[in-house]
Amino acid sequence: MENIQMNQQTEMAEAVLLEQVKLRKLAEKEAILNQSKLALAQQKGQVDISNLIAKEQIVNQSRVELAWQKMQMQEYRQAVKEASYTVVSVNNDGMIETKSQNAFVNLPKRPITNFCLDIMVKLMSADGDEGFFGLQIAINGKAVQIFLDAEKMGRPDYFMKKLTAVGGKILVDKERDRRNILTGLWVELFGNCKEVLTVPTRIGWMADPDKGYRLVKEGAILWEDIIRRAK
């Protein structure tokens, strides 16, 4: 009887031991599995971080390239602006036009005044004095005369004052552009001024290079009127 009990106890002890071994192995397997999962999760996390860093690098590179492009465009625009110059010309109808040109762009001509040019002549007194010009322009089809002092024509503000006095306008907004146009216009006018007009100095008979003598009547424009009106 005692042997039977001992055998039963032994079997129970072996069963308990076997169960403990199974539990230990199962725990080891779970630990290994958990470690594998943890390692996989860590690898996945690293991959996610790497992907995130790569995406961020791409975005940053795109931003850098965009900023560089913007800077290049600004430099290009500045270069175009600095290289540009304005050519003033007068067409066959007397319309004053400008054309902006530079090494990069060739823009079309455009009208920039509210008046057209008829003629400009060099004025000379009957006594041989010089230094003045007569300019005739047309505003809305009406002819207007302007007398100009040659010594002051290098000043755009003087030319603008004389044009404004008769209703002439330069159709630009910036003062610098207006001055450049006035300077270019005067160069154009002066370069094409070939005709000389003799102006009497007094009422009565005067010598005329083309007609011999001609009678100057009351109300005629005299040289002293030219000087006064050119101020």
Side-chain angles (χ1 to χ4, degrees), residues 19 79 87 104 121 132 141 157-158 199 221 226 228:
E19 186 67 22
V87 177
F104 309 97
V121 297
F132 295 90
D157 55 340
Y158 168 77
V199 180
I221 296 178
I226 300 296
R228 175 177 52 82

Side-chain angles (χ1 to χ4, degrees), residues 25-126:
K25 288 183 178 180
L26 180 60
E28 290 176 353
K29 289 181 179 181
E30 289 181 353
I32 294 173
L33 180 60
N34 290 335
Q35 289 178 354
S36 299
K37 290 181 179 180
L38 178 60
L40 181 61
Q42 289 176 342
Q43 291 176 358
K44 183 178 180 182
Q46 291 175 352
V47 170
D48 290 342
I49 293 174
S50 298
N51 290 337
L52 182 61
I53 293 174
K55 290 180 181 179
E56 188 67 22
Q57 288 176 341
I58 293 173
V59 171
N60 290 337
Q61 183 65 28
S62 299
R63 290 173 179 170
V64 171
E65 291 177 356
L66 180 60
W68 175 252
Q69 291 173 358
K70 288 183 178 179
M71 185 180 69
Q72 287 182 317
M73 181 59 67
Q74 290 174 352
E75 291 178 351
Y76 171 78
R77 290 173 178 170
Q78 183 65 25
V80 170
K81 182 178 179 180
E82 293 177 354
S84 65
Y85 61 96
T86 300
V87 177
V88 179
S89 61
V90 181
N91 65 20
N92 295 331
D93 296 325
M95 181 68 69
I96 303 168
E97 301 172 322
T98 62
K99 185 175 183 180
S100 298
Q101 295 178 326
N102 53 54
F104 309 97
V105 182
N106 192 11
L107 300 176
K109 293 181 179 180
R110 61 188 181 93
I112 41 81
T113 65
N114 70 331
F115 59 88
C116 296
L117 294 176
D118 286 341
I119 188 172
M120 189 173 85
V121 297
K122 181 179 179 180
L123 302 177
M124 178 183 293
S125 76

